């Protein structure tokens, strides 16, 4: 849940009052599926023509397991909730606008 924030990042800078700070988010299901398929494509097992040892269900239950099967190891930033990047510790957005990739034209 987004709380009203007294100031977004753009209003904190007296030198750039005309700048706006924005972000775009993706559908969480699309994001998880994309992360899983990227992990499969970067699998250490792909070159050996072996099947990927982590099912989608196992990945959803413990995404950190993906790192042990990818080369180079996949960063956790791929499955960290997007709110981690644009909400402060109080849960207030630090951006002026949050757009949705699915509705971006």
């Amino acid at each position: 849940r987004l709380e009203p924030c007294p100031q977004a990042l753009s209003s904190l800078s007296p030198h750039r009052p005309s700048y706006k700070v924005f972000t775009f988010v993706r559908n969480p299901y699309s994001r998880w599926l994309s992360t899983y398929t990227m992990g499969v494509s970067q699998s250490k097992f792909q070159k050996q023509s072996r099947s990927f040892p982590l099912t989608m269900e196992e990945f959803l239950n413990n995404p950190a397991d993906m790192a042990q099967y990818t080369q180079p190891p996949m960063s956790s930033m791929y499955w960290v909730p997007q709110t981690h990047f644009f909400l402060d510790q109080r849960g207030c957005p630090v951006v002026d606008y949050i757009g949705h990739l699915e509705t971006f034209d």
Side-chain angles (χ1 to χ4, degrees), residues 25-34 82 100-102:
V25 296
R26 288 178 68 190
N27 177 308
Y29 299 110
S30 300
R31 207 171 152 236
W32 281 93
L33 180 60
S34 175
Q82 293 168 306
H100 296 265
L101 188 64
E102 293 78 17

Side-chain angles (χ1 to χ4, degrees), residues 3 5 17 21 34 42 52-53 69 75 78 85 88-89 91 98 105:
E3 298 292 331
C5 214
V21 179
S34 175
Q42 293 179 0
F52 191 66
Y69 298 116
S75 166
Y78 290 102
F85 301 105
D88 67 13
Q89 293 175 345
I98 299 171
D105 241 342

Side-chain angles (χ1 to χ4, degrees), residues 68-90:
Q68 66 183 319
Y69 298 116
T70 55
Q71 188 62 36
M74 187 179 279
S75 166
S76 64
M77 80 171 207
Y78 290 102
W79 54 82
V80 170
Q82 293 168 306
T83 54
H84 174 80
F85 301 105
F86 62 82
L87 297 181
D88 67 13
Q89 293 175 345
R90 298 169 298 158

Side-chain angles (χ1 to χ4, degrees), residues 6-54:
Q7 294 181 325
L9 288 178
S10 61
S11 61
L12 296 177
S13 173
H15 305 292
R16 295 190 170 80
S18 63
Y19 286 179
K20 295 294 180 190
V21 179
F22 63 93
T23 188
F24 279 84
V25 296
R26 288 178 68 190
N27 177 308
Y29 299 110
S30 300
R31 207 171 152 236
W32 281 93
L33 180 60
S34 175
T35 300
Y36 180 76
T37 56
M38 185 172 76
V40 171
S41 71
Q42 293 179 0
S43 169
K44 299 179 204 178
F45 302 96
Q46 189 176 30
K47 293 178 184 170
Q48 301 168 3
S49 297
R50 293 172 47 200
S51 62
F52 191 66
L54 193 64

